[in-house]
Amino acid sequence: MRRLCVIVLFCLLAAPYVLGDSQDTVVFRTRMLPDNEVPPIVAAGNGASATITVHVTRDEKANINAATVTFDIDYQIIDPRNPV
């Protein structure tokens, strides 16, 4: 019984150090169209898809100690003088 109590106590004391740093990732996706501009732009076939990824690393007190943001934008622009 004493051995079990020592093991449980060790696990409880070691947990904050093992689980201290954590990483969170959030992904935002959107579709960008010329119709959403103010005022709207008449440009048929033009648009873009965007993915924004945020990576955050936190310490054991949940303070942010590192972060990165990645922008990935795929766009399509059609020349009205030379349609494909």
Side-chain angles (χ1 to χ4, degrees):
M1 182 71 178
R2 181 179 171 118
R3 184 180 230 179
L4 178 62
C5 289
V6 171
I7 292 172
V8 169
L9 181 63
F10 176 75
C11 290
L12 289 175
L13 292 175
Y17 297 104
V18 173
L19 303 173
D21 286 346
S22 66
Q23 292 185 352
D24 299 322
T25 301
V26 179
V27 178
F28 300 96
R29 289 187 176 92
T30 187
R31 178 86 175 127
M32 297 181 284
L33 299 170
D35 297 339
N36 296 337
E37 296 292 325
V38 177
I41 299 171
V42 179
N46 294 342
S49 297
T51 302
I52 303 167
T53 307
V54 181
H55 301 279
V56 177
T57 303
R58 299 176 186 268
D59 62 9
E60 63 275 353
K61 294 181 182 178
N63 297 321
I64 296 174
N65 54 15
T68 59
V69 179
T70 304
F71 296 90
D72 182 19
I73 301 174
D74 298 317
Y75 57 89
Q76 178 181 2
I77 299 174
I78 297 175
D79 186 1
R81 295 171 288 158
N82 187 15
V84 178

